[in-house]
Amino acid sequence: MKEKAYDHAPVSFGTNLGLVLEYFDMYLEDPDSVSEEMQILFETILQNEGQISSPKTGGSNSKLENIIKWVMDIRTYGHLDADVYPVYPPEVKNKPDFSFENYGFTEEDVKSVDVETISPYLVDTFDNALDALNHLKETYTSPLSFEFSHINNEEEREWFKEYAETKGRPSYDNKDKIELFKSLSKVEGFEKYLQKNFVGAKRFSIEGVDSLVPMLNHLLKKMSEDKLQHLQIGMAHRGRLNVLTHVLQKPYEMMLSEFMSTDAMKFLPEDGSLEITNGWMGDVKYHLGGIKTRKDNGIEQTVTLANNPSHLEIVGPVVQGKTRAAQEKNDVKGSSEQNANDAFAVVIHGDAAFPAQGVNPEAMNMSDLRGYTVGGSVHIITNNRIGFTTEEWDGRSTLYSSDIAKGFDIPVLHVNNDKPEYVLKAIELAFSYRQKFNRDIVIDLIGYRRMGHNEMDEPMTTNPMLYNEIKEYPTIEHLYGDQLVEESVISKDEKTQIIDDVEKEIRNAHDKIDKKDTIVSGEIEHPDFIFEKQKNEVDESITKERLEKINNELLTYEGEFEVFKKLSKVLERRKLPFEDDSVGIDWGHAEALAFATLLQDGTPIRISGEDAERGTFAHRNAVLHDPMSGEEYTPLKNISDAKASFDIHNSPLSELAALAYEYGYNVQNKDVLTIWEAQYGDFVNMAQPIIDTFISAAHSKWGEVTGLTMLLPHAQEGQGPEHSSSRIERFLQLCAENNMTVANLSSSANYFHLLRRQAQNLNTDLTRPLILASPKSLLRNQTASKSVSEFINGKFEEIIYENDNPKAVKTVLVASGKIAVELEESLKKEEDDSKLLIKLEQLYPFPKEEIKEVLDSLPKLKEVRFVQEEPKNQGSYRFVEPNLRELLDDKVEFNYVGRNESASPAEGNAGIYKLIQDKILKEALK
């Protein structure tokens, strides 16, 4: 069968090419089947066929097809030949040759083609195809180049073509150009002043990607045109001080004071437009953030720069979580209401880190998920073309640092930092795309790094070829200033005056600072509230009648919704505790009741995690599915008198980005009970940087508070090493200054009260993260399941014990979680009054006073045994031991009962596990 030209129409070209080639096929079969204009076009092409040499690209001998292939290739691969590198351009393998000869046609041949065949978007701009082709070449190989052909959505591809070909070239008036030059002069002048006056001080200069600052300010202008008022920014340390100074408008006096270790807060704007938080420990200046309220674009706009640790790229999902929280309205029943225009996220990346840090693909994978989308983020790669000392060829396997984004169907713009007008055009395009399609986009801002990794570093020792070029290369304020002089926009004297004025302004600010006003001190002063206990009050509104009404509503479904029969029987059993007080409320049931009461109290809830809707162990079943229709129903969204939203989302199989996202969400909206649940406790290992640098330390470093709750399934169950431990010892090692609550519970009622206590302290000085070693087998354990009476008029108990005969007690057993329940069950069988079990529900803050009160009531106490099922070097033993010993006098013996020290968290064989577990219980009770 003869092939049709139409069959070769590339998808990325769009419908226009396919239509033309289809007409061409029709013409070949019957010339009269197409219009007279088309007949003339195709006849001319065929007459010239023999004059055209075979294309070197391996294409067809049809001139029309060769021209169309050139158009398609310039759109798809033009970026490979684009003017996007200020210095040190890389050697691009397989770089295309876009000469007409290479494609087998000449300028004369192009005259026989109409403009619409080249691009329907240029019909009103050019009257001949040759000019249109030249325009396309200039557009797609300019200092702003495009990668969009990989996008699956044809509407998006066509939008990019139209934008690039009709609006892709900058066209700014003289006023805008002067404003841009002044901005660049401030950016460069600030860096030069710091370099001159604070020799050797680390600042991680922005020089080489200076256009980032005017780019962000230009974005704010474009946002104001669409009435967008909230910009959330996340970035690492490179260029951060300049962004703080010239985007968040942190006064020069404040920034210089930080270099001088004087009191910067004296220069905080008195109008309250700038919010800066600090912890009692503090952090280096290039990790700090802030919140600025600006009014210079005609509307009030808030710019938030997130605090960030040294761990590169990790702030990205934090900012996206903050953005989602800022977009949502939570004081509504049912699901929260999201408006993507209520906040806009910009995440600024480093070129070496973007492809290398796994948190980036994790976060991009979340960009279109219903539980995580923010309506599109703009990612800006500040591309220095180098890591610390590692150059591109050792740092990634791809041509561009941005290439991983294409795997997520995200378009990419490459732009030359030293062509600042094109940089502004890039952010305009990115903003327009986000507003049109509510999807992510990447801008690869290609520049260089003028200094070494930091200002003390000498890059010539490791990267001489790159830095030989950089040393001879002029800075951007001179490059762009000279361009404006050449264009007669400003005079040479005006250029010099603008640059000099910047230095004078900074010098004047410097002169206002009293060098003697030092903040350097050997004493750390803590806020008084840090050491206060959390509020933990009995709520008399929790009655049996209220809980029973909630319970009935949780088991009532709207319309014709049917629950899967097997699950329906399980859920129906939740009525029994309200009919018979001897029947306990299990863990998942207790959680549902806690959530429902909190929603009625006005506390919004967001819970996410791996399989969170059902729960790893099928204990939650918060989202029900009709087995016939597939319809979903969430009972907690339909509780009467609810005053707040309930959102629950299955997360992707990710820990680092997912936990970072929830952290950011709760930092932004502290009123929401925000919960992240791991599929198994040990999965949290993959999110350790978030725990170390944000959750445990953010309050002391930055004054940043979170009430994030983490549910980490934990216990020895004979299931092997990898699903036994939430690594509770690591959390306990991080505990200090009441920075978090760590708990391992034995009671469903205490879980109910703990969730309510956590909510009670949200958005107060006593807000803290909650780390809960949540149960597995205890989820349905009858001993751990408590009667309705324990849910009423109760509160969270840090320790639980029954001290019926204190004069008989000689041995106290202290244990947490599952092993505590196993000991409780064993003691009930023995009825031995000489032993008392203290179930240690809260590990940190350690309840010393409560335990001491119990111990002091035991006149015949001889021994305290701490019992755990984890290995001795893991679990809570090493943390609890010194705290317990402080409470004992010399007459009371202290002993450990549990597994021996081990490199592995648990045995791999279930039979061996059971033997060792039985041995521990017998040893504890002997």
Side-chain angles (χ1 to χ4, degrees), residues 101-119:
E101 179 188 10
N102 189 52
Y103 280 78
F105 64 90
T106 65
E107 290 187 2
E108 193 65 29
D109 299 323
V110 176
K111 293 178 182 178
S112 63
V113 180
D114 60 48
V115 174
E116 187 171 7
T117 302
I118 303 303
S119 172

Side-chain angles (χ1 to χ4, degrees), residues 34-72:
V34 298
S35 67
E36 186 176 343
E37 291 173 338
M38 285 290 181
Q39 289 180 40
I40 295 170
L41 168 65
F42 296 143
E43 183 181 347
T44 305
I45 291 171
L46 290 173
Q47 285 175 353
N48 292 331
E49 189 83 35
Q51 301 172 20
I52 302 176
S53 60
S54 295
K56 298 175 184 178
T57 58
S60 165
N61 278 327
S62 164
K63 286 177 292 183
L64 179 60
E65 286 191 53
N66 293 341
I67 292 169
I68 294 301
K69 178 171 171 47
W70 185 95
V71 172
M72 181 190 74

Side-chain angles (χ1 to χ4, degrees), residues 510-554:
H510 198 167
D511 290 341
K512 295 176 185 178
I513 302 169
D514 183 356
K515 297 177 183 178
K516 299 176 183 177
D517 188 21
T518 181
I519 58 170
V520 176
S521 170
E523 298 295 324
I524 301 294
E525 295 184 10
H526 295 82
D528 293 337
F529 63 80
I530 289 300
F531 300 106
E532 293 179 18
K533 278 198 150 194
Q534 282 191 311
K535 188 177 180 182
N536 186 27
E537 298 175 353
V538 173
D539 187 344
E540 294 182 359
S541 73
I542 304 297
T543 62
K544 182 176 181 180
E545 291 73 25
R546 180 182 176 189
L547 294 180
E548 186 169 14
K549 182 184 179 185
I550 287 171
N551 196 60
N552 289 333
E553 291 178 357
L554 290 171

Side-chain angles (χ1 to χ4, degrees), residues 116-135:
E116 187 171 7
T117 302
I118 303 303
S119 172
Y121 310 117
L122 300 179
V123 172
D124 295 333
T125 307
F126 299 103
D127 57 11
N128 68 82
L130 180 59
D131 287 346
L133 285 185
N134 288 331
H135 172 78

Side-chain angles (χ1 to χ4, degrees), residues 707-926:
L708 178 66
T709 294
M710 296 170 61
L711 304 181
L712 309 176
H714 171 97
Q716 299 276 340
E717 308 269 351
Q719 298 298 309
E722 264 51 84
H723 292 330
S724 297
S725 174
S726 64
R727 292 296 186 179
I728 201 166
E729 64 276 2
R730 292 181 184 165
F731 290 98
L732 292 171
Q733 185 185 43
L734 294 169
C735 287
E737 302 170 322
N738 281 351
N739 62 333
M740 65 179 83
T741 300
V742 181
N744 189 7
L745 308 182
S746 63
S747 156
S748 63
N750 221 22
Y751 179 44
F752 173 91
H753 294 304
L754 179 59
L755 288 172
R756 289 187 55 78
R757 185 185 78 169
Q758 183 70 0
Q760 198 174 42
N761 288 278
L762 290 174
N763 207 3
T764 71
D765 286 341
L766 303 179
T767 300
R768 295 171 192 150
L770 169 61
I771 315 301
L772 181 60
S774 54
K776 294 182 286 183
S777 63
L778 290 193
L779 291 169
R780 297 172 180 84
N781 180 281
Q782 291 186 6
T783 303
S785 301
K786 300 302 179 181
S787 66
V788 174
S789 59
E790 295 197 30
F791 290 73
I792 298 166
N793 293 327
K795 62 179 182 178
F796 176 66
E797 302 294 343
E798 297 178 5
I799 62 172
I800 298 175
Y801 65 96
E802 292 181 13
N803 192 5
D804 296 329
N805 190 1
K807 293 181 180 180
V809 175
K810 296 180 180 179
T811 303
V812 167
L813 308 175
V814 181
S816 297
K818 173 175 157 284
I819 193 82
V821 172
E822 291 174 337
L823 288 168
E824 181 181 1
E825 292 170 345
S826 298
L827 285 169
K828 283 180 180 177
K829 296 174 186 175
E830 291 191 8
E831 296 184 357
D832 182 357
D833 286 348
S834 70
K835 294 185 180 66
L836 172 66
L837 173 63
I838 297 178
K839 292 187 285 185
L840 183 57
E841 303 285 287
Q842 179 174 291
L843 293 162
Y844 186 83
F846 190 75
K848 283 186 179 180
E849 293 178 8
E850 291 81 356
I851 295 174
K852 188 176 189 306
E853 184 179 340
V854 177
L855 298 180
D856 288 348
S857 70
L858 309 175
K860 296 182 180 179
L861 181 62
K862 301 290 185 184
E863 181 186 10
V864 173
R865 298 173 185 168
F866 181 77
V867 187
Q868 70 171 30
E869 57 183 2
E870 300 89 352
K872 189 175 184 179
N873 58 315
Q874 299 173 33
S876 57
Y877 170 65
R878 292 278 165 83
F879 173 81
V880 170
E881 180 204 12
N883 285 289
L884 276 179
R885 284 191 184 276
E886 281 184 27
L887 305 179
L888 305 179
D889 59 37
D890 295 338
K891 297 176 183 178
V892 179
E893 194 177 332
F894 178 83
N895 288 298
Y896 165 81
V897 181
R899 282 173 168 77
N900 296 329
E901 291 187 351
S902 171
S904 173
E907 308 83 15
N909 182 283
I912 296 173
Y913 151 77
K914 191 173 188 313
L915 289 173
I916 295 175
Q917 194 78 358
D918 289 344
K919 182 180 177 183
I920 292 170
L921 292 171
K922 288 176 183 177
E923 179 72 16
L925 298 169
K926 73 177 181 180

Side-chain angles (χ1 to χ4, degrees), residues 97-167:
D97 176 2
F98 288 114
S99 66
F100 294 165
E101 179 188 10
N102 189 52
Y103 280 78
F105 64 90
T106 65
E107 290 187 2
E108 193 65 29
D109 299 323
V110 176
K111 293 178 182 178
S112 63
V113 180
D114 60 48
V115 174
E116 187 171 7
T117 302
I118 303 303
S119 172
Y121 310 117
L122 300 179
V123 172
D124 295 333
T125 307
F126 299 103
D127 57 11
N128 68 82
L130 180 59
D131 287 346
L133 285 185
N134 288 331
H135 172 78
L136 291 186
K137 185 170 185 181
E138 290 174 7
T139 295
Y140 288 105
T141 63
S142 78
L144 170 60
S145 65
F146 314 87
E147 288 191 88
F148 57 80
S149 296
H150 59 280
I151 300 174
N152 289 324
N153 186 323
E154 183 179 349
E155 182 187 358
E156 292 181 39
R157 294 195 304 270
E158 288 300 319
W159 182 90
F160 264 103
K161 290 176 198 171
E162 181 177 10
Y163 196 109
E165 293 165 20
T166 62
K167 306 178 197 173

Side-chain angles (χ1 to χ4, degrees), residues 240-253:
R240 190 180 189 89
L241 301 186
N242 226 304
V243 170
L244 277 166
T245 306
H246 296 119
V247 180
L248 277 79
Q249 299 175 346
K250 188 173 181 177
Y252 287 132
E253 293 89 343

